[in-house]
Amino acid sequence: MTPGAGGGPGARDAQPTLRDVAERAAVSAMTVSRVLRDDPKVLPATAARVRAAVAALGYRRNEVARSLRLGSGTGLVGLVVTNLANPFYSRLALGVDAVVARHGLKAVIGNTGQDPDTERSLVEDLVARRVDGIVAVPAGGDQRHLAAAAAEGVPVVLASRPPAGFAADHVLVDDYGGARAATERLLAAGHRRIGFLGSPPAVYTGTERLRGYAAALAGAGLPAEDTYIRQGQQQTAEAARAAAGLLALPEPPTALFCSNNRNTIGAFRAIREAGTATALAGFDDFEMADTLGLPLTLVAYDTDELGREAGRLLLARLAERAGADGTPAPPERRTMVPTTLVSYGTPGQAP
């Protein structure tokens, strides 16, 4: 008899278990666990059957017992990002929170301002506060503090950037492919002098997007000239100044490709100020991009899904650790969020 389903002393206090849900849905307990952590690899029909069993039985995870198994009673997940002023990171945070909140966890967000020392201090503080896990967008290539957190038993998942020097689950955007596709669209429109505006060279996403830009040029038989490349801009004002410098060259670019939304917005301001017909393409779709009034091609992807997938990876590691039976942990998992191109306005032809 299902616990709590019949009479007798204490029947009302008994709670259905994971195994009860599995029996009702005719699946394994592991499959139930995968559905509860939103594993996208579970067949939709199976997931629906499990959720129906959960609802019918009134099953709820025992978060207290879970915390004891994990050696932590906080129920908190640390989320470390580089710039909360950038809408990308707020959407990422919403995606992570949407997944972990369903499992009784709360996300605590820390902003590093792209400063590795701040990130190191923040991660050390999160570990000291015994968070159940950490999702991080690393500020640079030195990730020893993240490796140390993982070594101390805190599951670490990286979003948008891969691990360096240690193994960790991570979810990436197709930075190279998206940048190459956007630059190829500018080339197809007849542009041959295409400038690049990007984040600091130490930032993985900026480096991959520069690589995609250069590959597209090489495919057209063109070099990636340093004259037309500006890196290091993190704010729109910096990007506007960099773009203005490119537009003031004796032979200015007829199009610009920007590696993130901050650079795209800054470049737009410079183009509007200069009054040129410069075509513009960039990575990251953003709100009101369709109102700018100039030809614009953007590399779009689901930022919320990037966060949701990071949350799923973390929940999977937490479940594996909670049920550890001495077997080796699975190898690191890597997933990729695809990109698409969206265009606003009339495609910009080379003058």
Side-chain angles (χ1 to χ4, degrees):
M1 179 179 291
T2 300
R12 291 181 61 189
D13 295 330
Q15 295 295 321
T17 66
L18 193 76
R19 190 172 300 281
D20 296 326
V21 175
E23 289 178 358
R24 186 180 183 96
V27 298
S28 68
M30 179 60 72
T31 297
V32 174
S33 178
R34 290 172 62 197
V35 171
L36 292 178
R37 66 174 186 259
D38 299 313
D39 188 336
K41 295 183 179 63
V42 179
L43 292 175
T46 302
R49 197 163 70 247
V50 169
R51 292 193 177 99
V54 167
L57 294 174
Y59 172 78
R60 294 188 64 184
R61 295 178 69 184
N62 187 334
E63 294 300 333
V64 174
R66 175 183 173 279
S67 293
L68 290 173
R69 287 197 304 270
L70 294 177
S72 166
T74 64
L76 300 176
V77 169
L79 177 56
V80 180
V81 300
T82 62
N83 183 8
L84 274 175
N86 188 332
F88 167 85
Y89 294 104
S90 58
R91 298 307 313 181
L92 172 74
L94 287 171
V96 172
D97 187 65
V99 170
V100 301
R102 296 194 202 110
H103 298 267
L105 298 169
K106 295 179 175 61
V108 178
I109 303 175
N111 186 65
T112 68
Q114 199 72 45
D115 178 54
D117 290 334
T118 300
E119 178 179 293
R120 185 178 302 106
S121 176
L122 179 57
V123 169
E124 290 172 353
D125 184 60
L126 289 170
V127 173
R129 293 173 185 273
R130 303 187 70 189
V131 294
D132 286 353
I134 294 174
V135 174
V137 181
D142 185 355
Q143 299 175 10
R144 286 175 292 182
H145 49 291
L146 292 167
E152 290 187 31
V154 179
V156 174
V157 173
L158 303 189
S160 186
R161 297 163 197 179
F166 76 112
D169 297 336
H170 53 286
V171 54
L172 307 174
V173 174
D174 185 11
D175 299 297
Y176 170 85
R180 180 166 186 166
T183 307
E184 287 174 342
R185 180 164 292 187
L186 292 173
L187 289 164
H191 297 280
R192 291 300 178 267
R193 298 195 306 275
I194 303 174
F196 178 89
L197 295 174
S199 47
V203 176
Y204 168 83
T205 53
T207 300
E208 283 296 287
R209 293 167 191 180
L210 176 60
R211 195 167 68 88
Y213 156 87
L217 293 180
L222 300 171
E225 299 183 29
D226 290 343
T227 302
Y228 294 131
I229 296 174
R230 299 289 185 274
Q231 291 179 277
Q233 305 82 232
Q234 299 185 59
Q235 304 298 332
T236 55
E238 296 171 334
R241 288 192 293 270
L246 290 175
L247 297 178
L249 291 172
E251 288 188 302
T254 61
L256 296 174
F257 173 72
C258 305
S259 74
N260 59 31
N261 53 19
R262 302 288 90 185
N263 276 281
T264 302
I265 295 170
F268 162 73
R269 291 176 178 171
I271 292 170
R272 184 179 59 182
E273 180 69 23
T276 64
T278 311
L280 187 59
F283 220 103
D284 303 329
D285 199 358
F286 55 91
E287 190 174 4
M288 299 187 72
D290 59 333
T291 68
L292 296 184
L294 84 167
L296 178 62
T297 296
L298 294 177
V299 182
Y301 54 93
D302 190 342
T303 310
D304 287 44
E305 177 59 20
L306 185 72
R308 288 191 294 268
E309 181 61 17
R312 294 183 195 115
L313 289 172
L314 183 62
L315 289 173
R317 285 296 175 188
L318 290 172
E320 289 159 3
R321 190 176 70 170
D325 56 4
T327 58
E332 69 178 30
R333 301 177 175 100
R334 167 180 170 143
T335 59
M336 184 82 73
V337 174
T339 62
T340 58
L341 294 182
V342 294
S343 294
Y344 301 105
T346 303
Q349 300 294 318

